[in-house]
Structure formats: C-alpha cells, structure tokens
C-alpha cells in the first residue's frame, strides 16, 4: 500500500479519470477497433478476452488439443512491484508505461483428469501484436469449477438414467421427465 505522502490527490484523480474513461469506452455501443490501454487492474475487456481465447486455441491446436473448454478467463494482476512503480510514476506525472496486461485462463480438455492453467500476454495499446501464451501448465487430479454447460450435461445424464426414471416413477409417480430438473 502506498503512503499518503507517495501519492498526491492529483495523481489519484488522473488515475480515476483514466479508469472511468476506459470503463465508459468498454460500455459504449461502439466497439473500439483496437484494444485501448487500460489501467493495470481494470478487468479484461471483450477484445482482450477474445485475444486470450484465440491464443489458447492456437497453442492448443499446435499441441494436439483441438477441443478446449474455457472455465475461466480473467485478469492476471501485475506484481506488486510493477504496480507500485507504475502508480508512483503516474502520480508524479512522469511518463510511464503500464505493466503488460496478462490473462489467466483455466482450460478443460477432453480426457484430462485435471485442468490446464494458462498465462497469456495480451497485446498492448493496439500495436497489432498477437496475444502470446507465456505458460501452459497441466495440473492433474483437480477439478475445475462447475459451468452452466456442466450443469446441463449432468441433468441430461441423470434424466436418461433408467434407475432415476424408475425411482421417480415408483416413489413419486413422475413419468414425464420434462418436469424434472436436476442440480448437480
């Protein structure tokens, strides 16, 4: 945390204005043609999410993983050292580049009893450079968060199971499976 003496009110005001401008641009009905420079802790914008997904798909395809399911795509926050240096330089009015933005992705691959954690370096400032995969780590023996797709699939499996159908008929008299809803 920065002390009050290291950041003056005008520096904080400038940072707040930049975040507000970025947020307003991301909420605008007019999609930007290139990714704007965002404040280092701003959430990923739609273009950054698309760029991270494209980089993961390309890396996966090159590695033989053609069916990728995305569980998470979120901002990987810069290190505290990078963030403090940026904030101090910004508050002092010195020209400074924001720390590179990165996405943290959790992927699911068919047949993998685990997940893949990926760090993607995102293009900055609309320079045209593609997003690049910096790390691709397979973590076995863990489960990703349940997604809406997982819930739909689990319900379909349960409703098709002859034992579930028989139990619902015998115990509750329910024979119309369209009336049954399942929560995993």
């Amino acid at each position: 945390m920065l002390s009050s003496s290291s950041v003056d009110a005008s520096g904080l005001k400038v940072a707040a204005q930049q975040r507000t401008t970025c947020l307003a641009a991301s909420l605008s009905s007019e999609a930007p043609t290139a990714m704007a420079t965002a404040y280092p802790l701003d959430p990923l914008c739609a273009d950054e999410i698309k760029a991270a997904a494209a980089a993961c798909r390309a890396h996966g395809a090159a590695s033989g993983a053609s069916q990728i399911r995305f569980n998470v795509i979120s901002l990987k926050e810069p290190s505290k050292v990078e963030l403090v240096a940026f904030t101090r330089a910004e508050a002092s009015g010195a020209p400074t580049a924001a720390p590179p933005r990165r996405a943290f992705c959790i992927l699911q691959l068919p047949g993998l009893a685990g997940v893949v954690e990926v760090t993607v370096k995102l293009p900055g400032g609309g320079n045209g450079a593609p997003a690049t995969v910096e790390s691709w780590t397979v973590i076995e023996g863990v489960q990703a968060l349940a997604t809406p797709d997982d819930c739909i699939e689990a319900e379909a499996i349960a409703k098709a199971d002859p034992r579930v159908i028989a139990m619902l008929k015998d115990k509750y008299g329910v024979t119309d499976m369209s009336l049954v809803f399942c929560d995993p």
Side-chain angles (χ1 to χ4, degrees), residues 84-96:
V84 168
F86 170 76
T87 306
R88 285 186 177 154
E90 184 181 54
S92 72
T96 183

Side-chain angles (χ1 to χ4, degrees), residues 163-177 179-182:
R163 296 171 298 174
V164 172
I165 294 169
M167 188 266 313
L168 288 171
K169 181 181 177 187
D170 295 344
K171 267 190 147 177
Y172 304 105
V174 175
T175 57
D176 183 356
M177 293 307 287
L179 300 175
V180 176
F181 296 91
C182 304

Side-chain angles (χ1 to χ4, degrees), residues 70-91:
F70 292 89
N71 190 271
V72 171
I73 300 178
S74 64
L75 176 68
K76 179 176 174 122
E77 293 183 4
S79 70
K80 185 173 183 176
V81 170
E82 290 175 308
L83 190 58
V84 168
F86 170 76
T87 306
R88 285 186 177 154
E90 184 181 54

